[in-house]
Amino acid sequence: MPIKIFTKDFWKGQRLLLLTFLVLHTLVSFYYISQHNITFDEPQYIEFAKHWLHGHPERVEPLDDSKSPIVAICWVPRIVRQIMNPHYKLTDYGRKDQEEGRYMMILFSFMTALYVYWWCKDLYGKKGWWLPLLLLLFDPLNLAYSTLITTDLACGAMLLALLYHFRKYILFHSRRDFYFTCLFAGLGIVTKQGLLFAIPMLVLLAFVYLAIQKSLKTFVTKRFLMDVVVFLFSIVLIINVCYYFHKSFRPFGDYTFESALLKGLQQRFPFLHAVPVPFPESYVQSVDMIKAHADTGAGKVNSTYNGIYLFGELKLSGKFWYYYIVLFFYKMPVGIMLLLLACVPLFVKRFNVKSFAQRYLFILLPIVFFWVVLSFFNQFQSGIRHLLLVFPLLYIGLGYLFRQVAHASIKWKLLTGAAIAYAFITLFIYYPYIIPYTNEFITNRKTVYKKIWDSSVDYGQSDSSIHVFIKQHPGYKRATTNPDTGRYAVVMGEMNNTFTRNANPYKWYRALAPKGHSRYVILLFDISKQDIEKADWRKAEMKIVR
């Protein structure tokens, strides 16, 4: 159980191996993050957290919509410095604060690791945790976000903890796990508004489990119904505490909403105007702003996102239902994909309904549930980072394969070992430039942008690095707005960027073939007169679907 971390026994035996994994993960993460610029979203998260720490959780800027106070942990280094030296000041526009704050985000990675450790031990025994955890900690996607100041990895940690305790509550009626369930449900919703979907998911999980166990009567017991009331009350309380009860219980009619949904509720149901909303104004505002920005859509003056990009096509309305399937296919290490596929026939062959309900239902159903939510109900499909929500669950499920292989022949053990080794080799080919990691299904790294893009490839992590590259390679120069001869270094995002509402001045590079790349995201061109004359300029135009 989680409480064991505070006992002396925690640091004996295999737990030393766990500590070793965490130390290695920390060293690799810290070196990786030291090589990258602050990404596009981090400044807004950092600024919102700073205002929140000063007691001002209001959302002022449009991009404040989804920001969370949970990332205020990134300000701990600055707070400590300020306590030690009240006159401490910086004149670098917050650059050092941002860089130091990144190192604090590793704590969410530790939280994920501990829950993977506990859950795998429950399912697979004392030695069943180390391969799933090792592979998760050094998965390119997990590693890339382990120290970024965003909520994607933190959100996955909260969901993992929530499901771990909810499973124990449902299976064993543990009161302690019920209270932990309440805690992580509230903190999860504070971390990311999308975890509001976790509430119906928990209802679905409980219903399916109890139906399989033929115990649906549990739903109507007095104790269970009381737990539902306490659960909902706890969520409301935690959200209020996290936002200082800031303008809580404000009458519904006093709000000025932006979204069509909440405006419509005000107009159609006047009797709701006097009803006090039990949430802080800032939280209500965040939900309203997210919905309003979805109503606005992409590619417009007030848009907060570029659109959804796949295979050279940019959608300004609607979504790709297969968006995350494509990103998963191109960005998951091939070795891990093979291991996941190997689980399927083994799982089907040994499938038992009641065993499945007790051991794997709480892993597989949330993966499917949130994959459907992200694919069909998410207007902001802007990167594979959203899958970090369920990534830890995938690796816990992978432990099933290792449990079977432990009793298999040497041939299967060697094949499994080869797949694991291959996954590590492909990671360290990219390291430390792992945000744009793609697997071998994209053979030409210079043309990744023709298939996938957005934050899955170019998250702004190399915007400052291009200046370093040009300084080290004086023969190269920055992108120009008109076709011209010469050697150019062009950040991949500059070729696809449509944030200027389809007036991208650098799109002409799309008609030409890059000669090389740096950091997998800075494309290198050596353009001659003949290249310009022979170029098919139709290729410079991105297909835009409105």
Side-chain angles (χ1 to χ4, degrees), residues 170-209:
I170 293 295
L171 265 63
F172 309 118
H173 310 292
S174 165
R175 299 311 301 169
R176 180 175 65 173
D177 287 294
F178 169 70
Y179 297 127
F180 274 119
T181 297
C182 296
L183 173 66
F184 286 113
L187 289 178
I189 292 171
V190 169
T191 302
K192 207 172 185 74
Q193 293 80 357
L195 270 185
L196 283 166
F197 284 104
I199 296 177
M201 182 205 65
L202 294 180
V203 174
L204 179 62
L205 267 174
F207 179 83
V208 172
Y209 174 78

Side-chain angles (χ1 to χ4, degrees), residues 118-158:
W118 288 319
W119 205 331
C120 285
K121 278 188 64 181
D122 287 349
L123 293 180
Y124 312 122
K126 291 183 179 180
K127 297 182 180 180
W129 62 270
W130 69 271
L131 270 177
L133 180 56
L134 184 67
L135 291 173
L136 172 64
L137 289 176
F138 293 94
D139 175 273
L141 179 62
N142 188 79
L143 194 61
Y145 284 84
S146 59
T147 43
L148 293 188
I149 304 175
T150 65
T151 55
D152 297 294
L153 191 141
C155 188
M158 295 297 174

